[in-house]
Amino acid sequence: MAEKKRPKEQARYRYLSELGGLEMLQARYVRQRFPRHVHETYCIGVIEEGAQRFYRSGGEHVAPRGDIILVNADDVHTGCSELENGWAYRAIYPHPDLFKSISRDIRQSEGSVPWFPDAVLHDPGLAQQLMMTFTLLAQPGNTLFKETLLMSSLTWLMMRHGKTRLSPRELPSAEQRVMMIKEIIDSCPERDLSLVELAEIAGLSPWHFLRQFKSAVGIPPHAYLVQARVRKAKELLLKGHPIATVSTLCGFTDQSHLSRHFKGSVGITPGEFVRGVS
């Protein structure tokens, strides 16, 4: 008996400049495995086929067909298929500032950024509206209708499932120093930073620094450095820099090195990203 062919992997990225640079991804993955990584944006998606397994907020979660996946901005998370034939989904990646602007009218005059405690939502009505939103966003024109449906969907999501995080506690001294190092990495990710150098700046031993960084950020410093480089690569690609040049400017050894880490974080290659922007 012939072996049943697995579905082909494919992904389509869109950068919606008319909606403030909102990013959208439609993908079908089988073998794709996202390692632990972070986004500065939220991820709001709906599973169209199969089921996705992912880590978020300290635990493993499974989202079957029809359910909503939610990842807060800066949440460390992963992603892979729960089933042999993979999973298909559509998702948008709104920046926290978008939620803040929406909340000015419905919660606080100065706005607030929601926190979604649940990684997976079973809310068929909202899932259906999100799918309608994704379909409309993929079509040309109708900017006013797109804005209206997007705002309606995000407001519904925030009102039904969003919480307000408690005021941040005063950070211990070691954690404050780790956050300072995180800012240094963000400001110059292309540098070939060493563990000893970063630990010295933080005033900690290398081993203590490693433990404190992973505890505070969720991933070790070398993994966070890769994420910072990918973020810078996206910024440079949006400005029209060639992929080969971007790999050099961001500290990657070559274009294939950039492509491997870019797809591991974003889910598409730099070339697919550029096509989605153009």
Side-chain angles (χ1 to χ4, degrees):
M1 182 181 294
E3 184 180 351
K4 185 178 180 181
K5 287 187 177 181
R6 288 185 173 185
K8 183 180 179 181
E9 291 200 339
Q10 52 188 338
R12 174 72 186 272
Y13 168 86
R14 288 181 174 88
Y15 179 85
L16 306 172
S17 56
E18 72 273 23
L19 294 173
L22 179 70
E23 298 178 87
M24 185 168 70
L25 182 68
Q26 180 174 4
R28 175 189 294 278
Y29 295 127
V30 180
R31 296 182 177 85
Q32 172 78 9
R33 298 185 70 89
F34 292 93
R36 288 196 177 197
H37 65 288
V38 296
H39 301 297
E40 60 184 348
T41 60
Y42 291 82
C43 173
I44 302 166
V46 179
I47 305 297
E48 294 187 285
E49 294 180 28
Q52 180 184 5
R53 172 177 288 276
F54 64 105
Y55 167 91
R56 197 214 93 172
S57 301
E60 290 284 328
H61 310 275
V62 174
R65 178 180 179 182
D67 276 8
I68 299 167
I69 53 174
L70 285 176
V71 180
N72 297 295
D74 292 325
D75 266 350
V76 174
H77 60 288
T78 63
C80 66
S81 180
E82 171 70 0
L83 305 174
E84 181 181 359
N85 287 331
W87 83 106
Y89 70 105
R90 283 190 277 175
I92 54 173
Y93 298 82
H95 193 276
D97 287 346
L98 179 56
F99 276 110
K100 193 169 185 179
S101 66
I102 294 173
S103 69
R104 289 194 185 106
D105 293 327
I106 59 177
R107 284 191 170 171
Q108 303 172 13
S109 59
E110 68 274 15
S112 63
V113 177
W115 173 65
F116 299 104
D118 297 317
V120 180
L121 298 178
H122 181 69
D123 187 331
L126 178 57
Q128 184 177 17
Q129 178 161 333
L130 283 170
M131 292 298 289
M132 289 172 54
T133 303
F134 300 157
T135 298
L136 180 64
L137 292 178
Q139 299 171 1
N142 282 324
T143 301
L144 179 58
F145 190 20
K146 286 178 180 177
E147 291 173 331
T148 303
L149 193 54
L150 176 64
M151 296 301 166
S152 172
S153 299
L154 294 183
T155 299
W156 185 355
L157 174 66
M158 186 165 53
M159 295 296 288
R160 285 176 63 92
H161 302 288
K163 305 292 182 183
T164 300
R165 273 194 158 170
L166 298 175
S167 300
R169 58 184 171 78
E170 179 132 359
L171 297 177
S173 174
E175 194 168 341
Q176 289 179 351
R177 284 179 268 177
V178 163
M179 292 299 106
M180 175 185 66
I181 298 300
K182 183 171 173 284
E183 291 177 4
I184 291 175
I185 293 174
D186 286 333
S187 66
C188 53
E190 70 282 356
R191 284 183 54 194
D192 185 19
L193 299 164
S194 74
L195 173 62
V196 172
E197 177 187 2
L198 294 177
E200 284 181 352
I201 295 172
L204 302 169
S205 71
W207 176 243
H208 190 202
F209 170 71
L210 272 176
R211 292 180 61 190
Q212 290 292 325
F213 193 98
K214 186 173 182 181
S215 174
V217 180
I219 51 179
H222 70 271
Y224 186 81
L225 176 61
V226 170
Q227 294 298 301
R229 287 176 173 176
V230 169
R231 282 198 301 272
K232 181 170 182 177
K234 289 176 67 177
E235 293 172 4
L236 293 178
L237 290 171
L238 282 171
K239 293 176 181 177
H241 291 276
I243 297 173
T245 303
V246 169
S247 64
T248 301
L249 292 176
C250 294
F252 293 101
T253 55
D254 53 30
Q255 190 169 328
S256 63
H257 188 209
L258 164 64
S259 294
R260 184 169 72 253
H261 286 295
F262 199 95
K263 186 168 185 181
S265 176
V266 185
I268 52 175
T269 65
E272 291 168 330
F273 178 84
V274 171
R275 287 194 291 275
V277 171
S278 58

